[in-house]
């Protein structure tokens, strides 16, 4: 009888735990999953509204990309709470089919820094007039969060406070857009 009960409990346990699949849309977090925690320590809480967060994303020219991938109002609300409580919020879009993979918003003394990661070169509207010319670009090595050297190529944009970077670590390459904005 004990064997039968153990067998039934095992069967119930194995059948009763369906795998939860994360959503295929941008998901907001108040804690860092795409940035090292050391970067988040510099953030300062700032009371913001959902409208202000949407305006920041729009000024960084990524709001329409996020909405096309299914950004929900509730995720913007989570970003508001993160910025208000900790000075940090992010949208993780790595499970979407779009080019934009993540957006981190950091409230700093000098304004809000938006860090946007792309699988490949960002669309033209997200480049802020940057000329993609490697002869005119600035290249350097920079450590990643694990101390590995990554090759960074920085392209000048036509907008102050905006930097477009191509980052290569081993065989993997992605693009980053850094936009410093005031609220």
């Amino acid at each position: 009888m004990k064997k039968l009960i153990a067998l039934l409990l095992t069967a119930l346990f194995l059948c009763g735990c369906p795998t939860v699949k994360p959503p295929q849309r941008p998901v907001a977090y108040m804690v860092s999953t795409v940035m090292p925690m050391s970067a988040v320590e510099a953030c300062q809480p700032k009371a913001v509204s959902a409208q202000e967060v949407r305006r920041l994303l729009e000024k960084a020219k990524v709001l329409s990309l996020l909405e096309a991938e299914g950004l929900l109002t509730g995720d913007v609300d989570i970003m508001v709470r993160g910025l208000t409580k900790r000075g940090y919020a992010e949208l993780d879009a790595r499970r979407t089919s779009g080019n934009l993979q993540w957006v981190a918003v950091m409230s700093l003394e000098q304004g809000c820094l938006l860090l946007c990661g792309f699988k490949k070169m960002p669309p033209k509207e997200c480049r802020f007039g940057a000329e993609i010319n490697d002869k005119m670009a600035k290249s350097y090595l920079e450590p990643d969060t694990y101390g590995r050297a990554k090759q960074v190529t920085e392209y000048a944009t036509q907008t102050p406070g905006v930097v477009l970077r191509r980052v290569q670590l081993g065989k993997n390459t992605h693009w980053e857009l850094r936009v410093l904005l005031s609220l």
Side-chain angles (χ1 to χ4, degrees):
M1 183 69 167
K2 287 183 180 181
K3 286 184 181 182
L4 180 61
I5 291 173
L7 184 62
L8 283 172
L9 286 175
T10 303
L12 281 173
F13 177 74
L14 292 174
C15 295
C17 297
T19 302
V20 176
K21 292 184 180 181
Q24 303 292 307
R25 61 171 175 76
V27 177
Y29 296 104
M30 295 188 301
V31 295
S32 180
T33 66
V34 297
M35 298 291 299
M37 286 306 291
S38 59
V40 178
E41 292 171 5
C43 297
Q44 301 176 346
K46 178 150 182 88
V48 295
S49 67
Q51 184 179 14
E52 288 172 312
V53 169
R54 292 180 71 79
R55 196 173 316 124
L56 284 172
L57 296 171
E58 188 173 43
K59 285 181 180 179
K61 303 183 182 195
V62 295
L63 180 61
S64 61
L65 299 173
L66 292 163
E67 288 177 334
E69 293 297 329
L71 177 65
L72 300 178
T73 305
D75 286 300
V76 174
D77 294 337
I78 291 170
M79 293 182 74
V80 168
R81 284 198 311 268
L83 288 166
T84 300
K85 290 182 179 184
R86 294 185 181 88
Y88 179 84
E90 69 181 41
L91 286 166
D92 184 347
R94 292 177 282 190
R95 291 180 186 88
T96 68
S97 61
N99 186 21
L100 180 60
Q101 296 294 282
W102 51 265
V103 177
V105 183
M106 304 169 72
S107 175
L108 306 171
E109 261 184 54
Q110 62 271 34
C112 279
L113 179 62
L114 279 79
L115 305 171
C116 310
F118 294 84
K119 279 189 250 185
K120 21 181 210 198
M121 187 185 301
K124 193 168 187 166
E125 65 269 13
C126 295
R127 292 186 223 155
F128 290 84
E131 278 293 319
I132 309 301
N133 181 343
D134 287 335
K135 291 180 182 178
M136 296 174 59
K138 181 170 80 172
S139 292
Y140 53 92
L141 291 175
E142 179 180 282
D144 74 351
T145 54
Y146 301 105
R148 301 172 296 188
K150 60 184 179 183
Q151 176 71 39
V152 177
T153 306
E154 210 169 273
Y155 301 93
T157 67
Q158 296 175 357
T159 306
V162 179
V163 176
L164 181 62
R165 301 172 7 134
R166 183 179 65 217
V167 180
Q168 185 171 358
L169 180 62
K171 294 180 181 179
N172 298 323
T173 300
H174 72 275
W175 289 76
E176 294 177 356
L177 178 65
R178 295 173 177 230
V179 183
L180 182 62
L181 298 168
S182 59
L183 271 174

